[in-house]
Amino acid sequence: MRSPRHATTRSARTAPREPHRAGRWRSRALRACVIAAGGVIVFATAAVAADAAPQNRTVIQGPLYSVADGPLCGGVMSLLAAPSTTRAKATSIQLTGGFFGISGTTAPCLVGVTIQWRNRTTGEAGAEHGWVAGTMIPSTITRLMHAAPVTGSGVVELNLQPHRPYLPLPPVRVQVP
């Protein structure tokens, strides 16, 4: 049998624990409700902010590996596209390249490129043509291609195609306001 001292100690320990456990349960339930309400507010605010915020953003594609003009030239190209800040309903396109090899002249390796664009919302389409040149060692851009075609508002899909053999990349999409 247990001593009376042991029984008192036990009842003294259990007496404070019961309200404490109930308080802990209430505290956890209250905390869960606050977190759930906060999550609902955050998601609702994010949905409203996403609708109100413009979808403009910069898209970068690359590296696209390509052979360049010359007996032993090859390298990479990167495409940067964004809605134009200077022309309404236009897409700003910038293409850079870095090549390594022997061009056959004193000039660095260069390659002709075509960027085909298509507005998936309106169906308008077009192409931009240019040249890209640059060296990898040392890393310098000697010729970059820049264009700002009026593509119209909507989702514009861009496809980069060098005039020499290359490893293709999927088209990129830009939202133009």
Side-chain angles (χ1 to χ4, degrees):
M1 241 175 127
R2 296 186 181 194
S3 67
R5 184 178 141 231
H6 216 263
T8 10
T9 309
R10 185 177 214 191
S11 64
R13 281 185 192 163
T14 47
R17 278 190 182 173
E18 292 305 319
H20 182 62
R21 283 186 183 166
R24 186 182 303 167
W25 180 84
R26 284 186 201 122
S27 173
R28 286 182 182 167
L30 181 61
R31 186 179 309 155
C33 289
V34 169
I35 290 171
V40 168
I41 291 170
V42 167
F43 284 120
T45 306
V48 170
D51 289 341
Q55 296 291 324
N56 305 348
R57 57 175 233 212
T58 301
V59 178
I60 299 172
Q61 181 189 42
L64 181 135
Y65 297 96
S66 174
V67 175
D69 293 337
L72 294 170
C73 284
V76 297
M77 288 180 266
S78 294
L79 174 73
L80 177 92
S84 178
T85 57
T86 57
R87 295 176 72 183
K89 299 181 181 181
T91 303
S92 177
I93 302 168
Q94 183 175 340
L95 183 65
T96 60
F99 301 98
F100 183 75
I102 301 168
S103 67
T105 67
T106 56
C109 300
L110 78 137
V111 66
V113 293
T114 298
I115 299 173
Q116 294 180 340
W117 61 267
R118 184 172 67 105
N119 188 320
R120 294 179 60 87
T121 308
T122 64
E124 294 179 60
E128 297 294 323
H129 306 281
W131 294 87
V132 177
T135 59
M136 286 188 189
I137 301 173
S139 180
T140 57
I141 297 170
T142 56
R143 180 181 257 180
L144 91 109
M145 179 187 163
H146 180 74
V150 178
T151 56
S153 297
V155 177
V156 177
E157 187 175 83
L158 302 162
N159 190 14
L160 172 60
Q161 296 176 340
H163 298 170
R164 304 287 290 174
Y166 65 99
L167 295 174
L169 292 175
V172 295
R173 293 182 180 163
V174 177
Q175 178 71 35
V176 178

